[in-house]
Every structure is written in C-alpha cells, then in structure tokens.
Amino acid sequence: MDSSAQPDNHDPAPENDVAPSLLDLSSCQLRDLSSIDLPPTLVEVDLTANRLTALDPRLSQLANLKKLSLRQNLLKDDAVLPLSSWHSISALQELVLRDNQLKKIPDVTIFKMLLVFDVSFNEIPSLSGLSKVSNSLKELYVSKNEVTKMEEIEHFHELQILELGSNRLRVMENLQSLSSLQELWLGRNRIRVIELCGLKCIKKLSLQSNRLISMTGLEECVALEELYLSHNGIAKMEGLSTLVNLRVLDVASNKLTEINDIDNLTKLEDLWLNDNQITSVDNLGEAVAGCRENLTTIYLERNPCASSPNYISRMREIFPNIQQVDSEIFG
C-alpha cells in the first residue's frame, strides 16, 4: 500500500510477516484504490469518507471479507450493481452504504450471512428490494431517506434494531413478525398513532418529532426500557403504568399540563418533561411515588412550574437522590 494514502492517525505496518486483517482508509479523500494494495487476508475494509464513484473489482476477490464500509462516498446505483455478483465475498456480514447517492435498495441477495445492512442518508423512496435481503439480518438502518411505507420487512425474524427515522412514514405496520426486535427508531416521520402490531419485546422506542396526539398503544410493551416521545402533540400521560421496566421517559415539547400514570414505574431514572404546560409541582411527589428513590435526572424547564422561586429546592425535597434538575447538576 502507498504509505502516502494512510490516514495520519495510523501507525506504519508492523515489520513482521503477520498478514493484515484490517484495512482502514477512512478520511483519505481517495477517488479510487489503484494505489492501494488489497491483500487477500483482509477481513475488514473501511473506506469511509472518501471520493469513490466506483467499486474496485479487486474487492470481490477478498474471500475472507466480513465487513465492508463504503460510508460517505459518491456511489450511485449503477456503481454498486457489481455487488450482486461478487460470490467470492458472499460470507460478508456487515455492509455499510450510508451517506451516498443511492435511489434504491441495492441487490444484496448473495450475502446469506448478512447481519448489518446500512443504507441511511441516501435518496431511497421505497423499501422495495428488502424482501431479497437475508433473513439472518440483525440490524437494518434506512434513516434519512424518502421512504413512505414500512414494507418487505416481515421475514426479518432475527432483526434486533430497525432504524427508519427521518423518512415520510405515516403508519406503523408490518411489524408483527419481528419477534426479536429490541430497538425501533422512527423519529422525524409523520406517524399519528402508535401501533406496535402486538410486539412485546421492544426495549427502546423512539417516536420523536411525529404527529402523535396520544401515547396509548404501549400498554403491552412491558420490556420497554427507553421511550422517546418528545416534539409531538400529546396532551395527556397515559398507558404507562404497565411499563415497569422503563428507565428513561422523554415526553418533552408536548402539550402536557400535569404528570400522570408513572407512580409505579419504580425503575425510572431519567424523566424529561421540559417545554410543556405543567403549572404546578404540588402533586408531583404523589405522581412519582414509585420512582422517587431511583430518579436521578428530571427536566421541567420552560414549564410554568419551573419559574417559582423555590423550584429547585422543592425538586431536591421530592427526589432524595436527584443528581440533576434541568441544567443544574448536584455533587
């Protein structure tokens, strides 16, 4: 490999005969790999943040390759077409095409052992083509595209993380068969109703910056640990009492006037209620009875109640182990 192409933060190759398994050429501003040696022993190739417009055909001969990152390049649909016939690297487990210029899901049918597939930050309008992606997949990232419908995901029975934030989705659908799903990220869409299609194993759910007016629909998600519902139009806290494993609850920037339905959430540690319309903390102690001991962080700033002169001292009285109230951190 041409030493001038190595990133500044990498040491020279060791002076021994150990064959390299990792090639990290991130942030080298390469337009092609013509000056780069690609030893057949490579297991991981990171080409993040370059200027590539085509795939070097020598990549197709790296029979040991497990991880290939082409993040933040200039690849268009035609440029990634060769992937569909690169049978020598069919054992690939992680393929990252994030932040390129793709307009459709590429054909990755041959990768039968694929675990991670990332096509976020492209210009993809549809999930059409996902039906051909291996059902071995555990993590799927399609955020910041133009997707309008949740489709062709039903066969992902092993999927644990699904990221579809910053798209144009209006309906939560076709989730019922994703029995292993633990994290669902749907922030910055146009969703009006929470519909988890019977899923009960979700641990992290984000529906920030949607069009929700109610938080009902979560009652059966008893495994939920982190719930993010900020920047919606929710006027009432409800449907939370069964979420006994919840540690983080974010309902900031909504239309709440009081705090309800969290009195038995004994594991709650972080509670974000800032930028609502809560007028008083008089009943707060009762409302949070179950989590008073464990709660370490609470945000109530930019609510009417936070303007009272004894607001901070009142918070410290109610929560004996509090570490942070709004931006104020206690030692």
Side-chain angles (χ1 to χ4, degrees):
M1 185 179 72
D2 180 358
S3 60
S4 64
Q6 291 192 46
D8 293 339
N9 60 340
H10 283 265
D11 295 326
E15 295 180 4
N16 56 36
D17 295 328
V18 177
S21 61
L22 167 64
L23 177 61
D24 186 348
L25 293 170
S26 55
S27 302
C28 289
Q29 297 300 308
L30 296 170
R31 295 184 180 276
D32 60 60
L33 303 183
S34 58
S35 62
I36 307 298
D37 182 30
L38 296 176
T41 54
L42 288 173
V43 175
E44 181 175 352
V45 175
D46 190 345
L47 295 166
T48 297
N50 283 287
R51 308 288 294 173
L52 302 177
T53 57
L55 300 183
D56 192 307
R58 292 176 299 154
L59 291 169
S60 69
Q61 302 304 313
L62 303 178
N64 297 305
L65 197 63
K66 293 293 187 290
K67 296 182 179 182
L68 175 59
S69 177
L70 293 156
R71 176 176 178 170
Q72 202 175 336
N73 278 279
L74 302 172
L75 299 171
K76 297 183 178 181
D77 294 324
D78 288 346
V80 299
L81 273 178
L83 284 171
S84 62
S85 60
W86 284 4
H87 294 279
S88 294
I89 63 167
S90 62
L92 197 70
Q93 296 179 358
E94 182 173 323
L95 177 58
V96 178
L97 291 165
R98 184 186 186 95
D99 200 358
N100 278 280
Q101 299 174 11
L102 304 180
K103 294 185 182 295
K104 61 182 179 181
I105 301 288
D107 183 354
V108 294
T109 310
I110 64 169
F111 303 125
K112 301 299 184 185
M113 301 172 67
L114 200 62
L115 301 177
V116 178
F117 187 37
D118 188 346
V119 288
S120 294
F121 288 81
N122 280 284
E123 303 167 27
I124 300 171
S126 167
L127 297 183
S128 177
L130 279 184
S131 61
K132 297 179 180 180
V133 178
S134 173
N135 58 9
S136 63
L137 204 65
K138 292 185 180 295
E139 301 179 19
L140 175 60
Y141 303 92
V142 200
S143 64
K144 199 65 171 67
N145 279 283
E146 307 291 333
V147 178
T148 59
K149 184 177 176 60
M150 297 174 69
E151 58 187 339
E152 298 194 22
I153 59 174
E154 297 90 339
H155 64 296
F156 293 133
H157 303 297
E158 303 297 321
L159 199 66
Q160 296 178 3
I161 300 175
L162 177 57
E163 163 67 275
L164 286 167
S166 298
N167 278 287
R168 297 182 177 181
L169 300 170
R170 295 180 181 273
V171 179
M172 298 173 67
E173 57 189 333
N174 298 317
L175 293 166
Q176 57 270 18
S177 61
L178 307 187
S179 54
S180 299
L181 198 63
Q182 296 184 17
E183 300 183 21
L184 179 58
W185 303 90
L186 294 170
R188 295 186 179 277
N189 278 286
R190 302 173 183 181
I191 296 167
R192 295 181 179 273
V193 178
I194 298 175
E195 177 52 74
L196 285 163
C197 310
L199 286 186
K200 300 178 182 180
C201 55
I202 295 286
K203 292 185 177 181
K204 297 180 182 180
L205 174 63
S206 173
L207 283 161
Q208 296 171 304
S209 300
N210 274 278
R211 298 177 180 177
L212 300 175
I213 57 172
S214 170
M215 59 174 65
T216 56
L218 297 165
E219 293 82 357
E220 295 185 355
C221 301
V222 294
L224 203 60
E225 297 178 1
E226 299 180 20
L227 176 59
Y228 303 96
L229 298 173
S230 65
H231 296 276
N232 279 286
I234 299 169
K236 182 180 180 181
M237 295 176 68
E238 57 188 334
L240 298 170
S241 60
T242 57
L243 309 182
V244 294
N245 289 298
L246 207 61
R247 294 184 296 102
V248 178
L249 175 59
D250 180 1
V251 282
S253 299
N254 277 283
K255 298 180 178 180
L256 302 172
T257 57
E258 56 184 7
I259 302 169
N260 295 307
D261 211 28
I262 61 171
D263 54 307
N264 64 336
L265 304 187
T266 58
K267 297 183 180 180
L268 198 63
E269 299 172 4
D270 284 43
L271 179 57
W272 296 63
L273 291 159
N274 52 283
D275 298 279
N276 277 286
Q277 299 164 19
I278 299 168
T279 57
S280 172
V281 295
D282 288 346
N283 299 319
L284 182 57
E286 182 180 343
V288 298
C291 61
R292 285 183 65 227
E293 300 294 327
N294 282 332
L295 203 75
T296 57
T297 302
I298 186 168
Y299 276 80
L300 275 165
E301 58 190 350
R302 291 181 295 280
N303 280 278
C305 64
S307 60
S308 62
N310 62 342
Y311 163 64
I312 294 292
S313 59
R314 191 75 184 279
M315 290 294 100
R316 299 191 71 172
E317 288 175 10
I318 296 172
F319 302 103
N321 298 312
I322 200 74
Q323 296 174 11
Q324 182 172 353
V325 175
D326 301 335
S327 58
E328 189 157 340
I329 301 173
F330 310 114

